[in-house]
């Protein structure tokens, strides 16, 4: 499917001329002014390239393309203007991460060359992102598979709390649910340091020896350190590190963070882990929820 290009200008005649000149070569859409342009981006986030006029009412092209960057970071952005000056060019690069700064009147051959360069840049960014995402998914899956082989008890618990955490995250409108899902799935990865019989005791509410207690208290930090080595999982690592932290600031890790300073994902994970522990120990759901409500801190 052809990559879409969006032209944004407050002059409909200029937009019509772009469409006439380029429609045989590219899939062109136009928007009259920045507000219509933002609506087009929100409705269709698949624009490969957006070329905007600089001087427009309500917001200029730099402000417009800065907002585009927030919504559609992969889209390549260009400025086309009849009022070229050094400061405008600097602002475009610094604030809007603009790929090209073109001046009017722009000959068709110059514009086509710039579009070709912009589309090459878009394909490069997309290819790198796809590769990174596939690598990231593969790394997460490998860690989950290793946990399932080394410690099936820990893997089983991660799988159970994953479903609870995702459901709660969606109900609470957490923005990056994938981070919460990954943290829940790998929340027990640090338990590779524990013997399986110790985990069996923990998940069934049985007392631990002093050595087992010490090892278990270390598992969030061990898991967080393992996860932190994977690119783009720093936030997931922090959720795992704080999964046993209490809202009042007690618990591990021992530091001054409390309340809303604790990551939302970690607070959700703490709740679902506690609930899972009570349910696994044999309590009916209603009784487990009642017991959790009575826990201060």
């Amino acid at each position: 499917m052809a990559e879409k290009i969006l032209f944004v200008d407050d002059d409909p005649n200029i937009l019509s001329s772009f469409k006439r000149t380029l429609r045989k070569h590219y899939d062109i859409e136009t928007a009259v002014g920045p507000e219509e342009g933002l609506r087009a981006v929100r409705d269709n986030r698949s624009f490969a390239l957006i070329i905007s006029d600089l001087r427009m009412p309500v917001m200029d092209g730099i402000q417009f393309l800065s907002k585009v960057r927030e919504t559609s970071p992969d889209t390549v952005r260009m400025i086309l203007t009849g009022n070229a000056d050094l400061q405008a060019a600097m602002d475009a690069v610094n604030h809007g991460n603009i790929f090209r700064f073109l001046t009017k009147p722009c000959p068709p051959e110059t514009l086509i060359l710039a579009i070709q360069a912009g589309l090459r840049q878009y394909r490069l960014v997309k290819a790198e992102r796809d590769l990174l995402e596939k690598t990231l998914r593969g790394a997460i899956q490998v860690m989950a598979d290793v946990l399932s082989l080394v410690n099936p008890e820990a893997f089983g618990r991660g799988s159970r709390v994953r479903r609870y955490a995702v459901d709660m995250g969606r109900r609470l409108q957490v923005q990056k649910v994938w981070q919460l899902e990954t943290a829940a799935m790998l929340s027990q990865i640090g338990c590779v340091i524990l013997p399986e019989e110790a985990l069996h005791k923990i998940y069934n509410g049985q007392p631990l020896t002093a050595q087992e207690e010490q090892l278990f208290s270390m598992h969030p930090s061990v898991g967080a350190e393992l996860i932190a080595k994977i690119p783009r999982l720093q936030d997931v690592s922090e959720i795992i590190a704080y999964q046993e932290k209490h809202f009042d600031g007690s618990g591990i890790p021992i530091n001054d963070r409390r309340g809303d300073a604790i990551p939302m994902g970690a607070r959700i994970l703490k709740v679902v882990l506690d609930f899972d522990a009570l349910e696994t120990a044999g309590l009916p759901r209603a009784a487990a929820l009642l017991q959790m409500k009575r826990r201060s801190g």
Side-chain angles (χ1 to χ4, degrees):
M1 189 165 62
E3 292 129 328
K4 291 180 181 294
I5 300 170
L6 177 66
F7 278 87
V8 181
D9 199 299
D10 59 326
D11 187 336
N13 294 324
I14 291 176
L15 293 175
S16 297
S17 68
F18 285 140
K19 208 160 191 177
R20 282 195 304 271
T21 304
L22 299 168
R23 65 185 175 187
K24 292 182 180 178
H25 305 281
Y26 304 106
D27 185 355
I28 302 293
E29 292 189 23
T30 59
V32 181
E35 292 177 315
E36 189 175 314
L38 288 175
R39 280 196 298 272
V41 173
R42 282 194 295 267
D43 293 343
N44 179 2
R45 297 190 180 195
S46 61
F47 288 113
L49 175 63
I50 296 179
I51 302 174
S52 171
D53 185 28
L54 177 61
R55 306 298 180 193
M56 296 185 291
V58 182
M59 69 181 82
D60 64 27
I62 297 169
Q63 293 169 320
F64 162 67
L65 291 176
S66 296
K67 289 183 179 293
V68 167
R69 186 185 176 200
E70 295 172 8
T71 307
S72 182
D74 288 347
T75 298
V76 175
R77 299 167 296 279
M78 296 187 192
I79 286 283
L80 185 61
T81 179
N83 301 288
D85 60 68
L86 180 60
Q87 187 59 50
M90 289 171 59
D91 289 344
V93 171
N94 292 335
H95 301 297
N97 276 63
I98 307 304
F99 181 71
R100 287 282 190 276
F101 192 88
L102 305 171
T103 56
K104 295 178 182 177
C106 186
E109 57 272 18
T110 302
L111 183 57
I112 288 172
L113 286 173
I115 289 173
Q116 288 172 347
L119 292 177
R120 283 196 298 271
Q121 175 67 13
Y122 174 76
R123 290 166 196 150
L124 178 63
V125 169
K126 287 288 288 180
E128 288 180 348
R129 183 179 292 278
D130 290 345
L131 177 61
L132 179 59
E133 287 180 355
K134 287 176 183 175
T135 304
L136 181 61
R137 283 197 298 269
I140 292 168
Q141 190 60 55
V142 165
M143 295 190 80
D145 290 346
V146 167
L147 184 61
S148 71
L149 292 170
V150 174
N151 211 319
E153 286 264 12
F155 176 77
R157 191 182 196 204
S159 298
R160 291 195 304 273
V161 299
R162 173 188 181 182
R163 294 191 294 272
Y164 290 138
V166 168
D167 186 48
M168 189 178 290
R170 286 176 178 152
R171 288 171 185 265
L172 293 174
Q173 297 181 334
V174 171
Q175 288 197 342
K176 294 182 179 178
V177 174
W178 74 267
Q179 291 182 345
L180 177 59
E181 181 177 15
T182 303
M185 184 171 65
L186 299 178
S187 61
Q188 308 300 294
I189 194 75
C191 289
V192 292
I193 62 174
L194 278 160
E196 194 166 351
E197 57 269 22
L199 274 181
H200 189 72
K201 287 184 192 176
I202 292 162
Y203 299 158
N204 287 280
Q206 297 169 5
L208 300 177
T209 65
Q211 184 181 13
E212 288 169 341
E213 281 279 9
Q214 185 179 9
L215 283 174
F216 185 67
S217 69
M218 292 168 58
H219 93 82
S221 62
V222 171
E225 286 177 18
L226 287 171
I227 300 301
K229 292 178 171 64
I230 302 176
R232 291 184 65 198
L233 291 189
Q234 284 73 22
D235 290 342
V236 173
S237 171
E238 189 178 38
I239 292 171
I240 289 172
Y242 280 84
Q243 65 182 287
E244 292 295 338
K245 189 73 167 174
H246 300 173
F247 196 73
D248 65 1
S250 61
I252 52 175
I254 300 170
N255 57 29
D256 295 332
R257 291 181 77 168
R258 63 178 61 219
D260 292 338
I262 302 167
M264 170 65 88
R267 286 182 270 150
I268 291 173
L269 196 49
K270 173 63 177 164
V271 169
V272 297
L273 284 168
D274 282 7
F275 177 71
D276 179 73
L278 292 170
E279 199 173 36
T280 304
L283 277 182
R285 288 191 171 192
L289 290 169
L290 184 61
Q291 185 165 326
M292 289 176 67
K293 286 178 182 178
R294 290 172 179 162
R295 293 179 177 177
S296 62

